[in-house]
């Protein structure tokens, strides 16, 4: 049993270790063999012993030992470490469980929607085929009526001509059998004229319709009805900035969907075939032609989510394409509270002829440990990058007397030092009162550390 295993592992297999009276003796604090107090702890066997147990030749002879209090302290430390490790692992497993639960719920929803979509689309297909069947049947019925009426009229005409020909034939036979010669001579012109007239009327009769009229039973364009599509789930792809890690809360992002058929050829689809959702909300999808579609969405705020990833699902006829759902990591919204947007340029002064932008700070006190979010399209320039760009700058003051500044004073506060990303290590900054090209990054960083911080040196990102 478990108790026996513990006794065997931690108390040893000495004769007195597993005995019931030894357990009672441990509880009482006395060695059952030597009747002395347990004052030592055998670290090799992991047992409480008395000094005599270690002295005599036996199971504990010459074993290393410590005081029970020292062994207990070490045991507590080991248990504390074990508790911390297991708590951390339990938290990791809880996060993993929540992520798996989210995937399970998304899977249930997707397959549930797939079943409903398949049912709805087959119902629509069946209804479309029924409507087409009814239309064809009506067309056949109309053809039948028209053909029957035409054939009836043609039959009546033939019946009349047959009666006329029978009468002519009978009169001709009568003239042939007449005893005198006058009657044949008199009837011949009349009967010949009547026969000629009948031939002319027969020639003017329209050709009767065929017995099996050719019907053009081309099926309707079901793809344009959104019922069927030749687009392929395995070859249709989605790529773009809106599907990669690093999308930021509140930003409008987009990506491109290329719809292809089984052969990999781009193809357009009808309304309702292509769909896209972001965290369950429909995204805007616009066709560009030649199988290209653009999907756009606003990145949702996932601050309370266990895993900050957006769930982007791209479907054809309600079924996810290969790679869907996509899970781009979501970054928190930009924090630009440090940027002073007052003034005619909104706190951002571009330097002509360079990629540099001087960003003015709200506070004159620089927190050297703070990590600053940059305005969109900008990065925090290094001192080397700033020096290279300033070599191409015009020979003018950095900010002295510009954009509402009075000399180097803005809103009653003197602001002097613009710092680079590595100014702490390079010990240089840009003086707002110096010339851009000739002075450049030559000011000592102390200028920005004495309550005269002006802001950051930014640079436009390269494409």
């Amino acid at each position: 049993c478990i108790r026996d295993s513990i006794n065997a592992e931690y108390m040893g297999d000495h004769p007195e270790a597993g005995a019931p009276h030894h357990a009672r003796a441990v509880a009482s604090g006395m060695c059952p063999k030597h009747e002395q107090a347990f004052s030592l702890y055998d670290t090799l066997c992991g047992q409480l012993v008395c000094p005599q147990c270690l002295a005599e030749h036996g199971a504990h002879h010459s074993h290393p030992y410590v005081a029970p209090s020292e062994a207990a302290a070490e045991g507590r430390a080991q248990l504390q470490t074990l508790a911390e490790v297991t708590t951390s692992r339990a938290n990791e497993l809880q996060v993993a469980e929540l992520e798996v639960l989210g995937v399970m719920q998304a899977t249930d929803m997707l397959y549930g929607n797939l079943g409903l979509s398949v049912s709805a689309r087959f119902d629509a297909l069946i209804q479309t085929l029924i409507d087409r069947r009814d239309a064809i049947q009506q067309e056949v019925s109309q053809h039948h009526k028209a053909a029957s009426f035409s054939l009836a009229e043609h039959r009546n005409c033939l019946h009349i001509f047959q009666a006329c020909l029978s009468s002519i034939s009978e009169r001709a036979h009568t003239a042939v059998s007449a005893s005198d010669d006058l009657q044949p001579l008199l009837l011949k012109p009349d009967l010949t004229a009547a026969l000629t007239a009948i031939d002319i009327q027969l020639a003017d009769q329209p050709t009767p319709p065929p017995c099996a009229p050719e019907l053009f039973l081309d099926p309707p364009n079901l793809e344009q009805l959104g019922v069927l599509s030749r687009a392929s789930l395995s070859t249709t792809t989605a790529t773009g900035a809106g599907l990669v890690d690093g999308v930021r809360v509140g930003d409008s992002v987009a990506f491109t969907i290329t719809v292809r058929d089984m052969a990999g050829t781009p193809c357009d689809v009808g309304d309702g075939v292509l769909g896209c959702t972001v965290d369950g909300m429909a995204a805007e999808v616009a066709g560009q032609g030649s199988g290209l579609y653009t999907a756009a969405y606003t990145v949702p705020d996932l601050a309370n989510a266990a895993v900050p990833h957006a769930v982007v699902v791209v479907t054809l006829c309600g079924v996810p394409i290969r790679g869907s759902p996509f899970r781009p990591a979501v970054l928190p919204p930009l924090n630009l509270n440090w940027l002073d947007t007052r003034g005619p340029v909104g706190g951002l002064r571009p330097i002509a002829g360079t990629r540099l932008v001087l960003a003015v700070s709200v506070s004159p006190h620089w927190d050297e440990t703070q990590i600053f979010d940059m305005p969109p399209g900008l990065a925090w320039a290094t001192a080397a990058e700033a020096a290279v760009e300033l070599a191409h700058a015009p020979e003018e003051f950095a900010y002295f007397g510009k954009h509402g500044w009075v000399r180097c004073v803005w809103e009653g506060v003197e602001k002097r030092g613009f710092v680079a990303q590595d100014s702490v290590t390079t010990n240089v900054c840009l003086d707002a009162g110096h010339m851009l090209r000739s002075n450049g990054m030559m000011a000592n960083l102390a200028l920005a550390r004495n309550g005269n911080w002006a802001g950051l040196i930014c640079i436009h990102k390269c494409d």
Side-chain angles (χ1 to χ4, degrees):
C1 67
I2 296 177
R3 182 180 302 171
D4 294 337
S5 299
I6 293 176
N7 287 338
E9 182 175 355
Y10 295 103
M11 299 183 64
D13 52 357
H14 308 304
E16 69 273 21
H21 69 276
H22 177 73
R24 290 192 295 270
V26 170
S28 66
M30 298 296 294
C31 174
K33 183 176 180 181
H34 303 107
E35 297 183 353
Q36 296 183 21
F38 285 134
S39 58
L40 301 174
Y41 182 79
D42 186 337
T43 58
L44 183 61
C45 295
Q47 289 182 332
L48 288 169
V49 296
C50 69
Q52 190 64 30
C53 291
L54 297 174
E56 69 179 13
H57 290 279
H60 303 284
H61 179 65
S62 298
H63 283 191
Y65 62 90
V66 296
S69 59
E70 183 180 348
E74 183 180 356
R76 288 190 180 93
Q78 293 175 347
L79 290 175
Q80 178 65 27
T81 301
L82 177 62
E84 293 174 355
V85 170
T86 53
T87 300
S88 176
R89 291 297 306 277
N91 291 337
E92 293 175 359
L93 292 177
Q94 183 180 14
V95 172
E97 180 188 1
L98 291 175
E99 185 173 358
V100 171
L101 177 60
V103 174
M104 289 175 59
Q105 292 174 345
T107 301
D108 291 343
M109 181 182 68
L110 287 175
Y111 278 96
N113 291 340
L114 174 60
L116 294 175
S117 176
V118 169
S119 177
R121 293 190 177 278
F122 269 93
D123 289 344
L125 174 59
I126 292 172
Q127 186 59 50
T128 300
L129 294 176
I130 290 175
D131 294 342
R132 185 59 177 167
R133 179 203 63 188
D134 294 343
I136 292 175
Q137 287 181 341
Q138 184 177 3
E139 183 181 359
V140 170
S141 177
Q142 292 174 349
H143 275 280
H144 182 203
K145 290 179 180 179
S148 297
F149 181 78
S150 178
L151 290 172
E153 285 191 335
H154 193 69
R155 178 191 175 191
N156 290 336
C157 290
L158 293 179
H159 183 73
I160 293 172
F161 293 146
Q162 179 187 5
C164 293
L165 291 174
S166 297
S167 175
I168 292 174
S169 175
E170 182 178 351
R171 294 178 63 188
H173 282 296
T174 301
V176 169
S177 59
S179 55
D180 57 49
D181 296 331
L182 183 61
Q183 190 172 359
L185 296 176
L186 295 175
L187 286 177
K188 179 181 177 182
D190 293 341
L191 295 179
T192 301
L195 184 59
T196 302
I198 290 174
D199 289 339
I200 293 174
Q201 293 186 46
L202 283 175
D204 291 339
Q205 288 296 309
T207 303
C211 295
E214 183 179 3
L215 300 178
F216 296 93
L217 305 180
D218 292 337
N221 193 336
L222 297 180
E223 181 177 344
Q224 295 301 321
L225 295 176
V227 178
L228 296 178
S229 174
R230 60 192 179 97
S232 169
L233 295 171
S234 60
T235 58
T236 296
T237 58
T239 57
L243 299 179
V244 299
D245 291 344
V247 294
R248 193 174 293 275
V249 172
D251 285 356
S252 295
V253 295
F255 59 93
T256 300
I257 305 171
T258 305
V259 181
R260 298 181 176 89
D261 59 18
M262 287 296 294
T265 304
C267 62
D268 293 330
V269 294
D271 295 339
V273 174
L274 181 62
C276 177
T277 61
V278 180
D279 284 0
M281 302 296 293
E284 297 181 4
V285 179
Q288 307 298 326
S290 300
L292 296 179
Y293 294 81
T294 300
Y297 69 94
T298 300
V299 181
D301 188 354
L302 303 176
N304 298 324
V307 181
H309 290 79
V311 179
V312 182
V313 182
V314 180
T315 60
L316 284 172
C317 294
V319 183
I321 67 171
R322 176 176 293 181
S324 178
F326 304 90
R327 300 178 181 274
V330 177
L331 299 178
L334 287 175
N335 181 6
L336 299 178
N337 293 336
W338 63 269
L339 178 64
D340 190 345
T341 57
R342 296 172 296 176
V345 294
L348 297 173
R349 161 166 152 70
I351 305 302
T354 74
R355 294 188 294 134
L356 297 181
V357 176
L358 299 182
V360 180
S361 62
V362 174
S363 172
H365 303 286
W366 176 34
D367 180 359
E368 299 180 18
T369 64
Q370 182 177 350
I371 299 176
F372 298 93
D373 284 339
M374 295 292 105
L378 297 178
W380 195 359
T382 64
E385 290 174 332
V388 171
E389 293 294 329
L390 288 173
H392 306 285
E395 189 64 9
E396 62 183 21
F397 288 114
Y399 235 113
F400 185 93
K402 295 183 177 296
H403 306 303
W405 286 34
V406 179
R407 300 175 68 86
C408 285
V409 176
W410 169 245
E411 296 294 328
V413 179
E414 185 176 12
K415 306 176 79 69
R416 294 296 296 273
F418 285 94
V419 299
Q421 180 183 358
D422 54 352
S423 285
V424 173
T425 56
T426 59
N427 201 40
V428 295
C429 66
L430 175 64
D431 190 342
H434 281 181
M435 304 300 286
L436 288 171
R437 188 170 65 229
S438 58
N439 298 121
M441 297 292 292
M442 297 176 59
N444 190 281
L445 186 59
L447 189 67
R449 286 173 166 161
N450 298 324
N452 297 128
W453 179 42
L456 305 180
I457 306 173
C458 302
I459 187 169
H460 281 283
K461 298 177 182 178
C462 295
D463 295 333

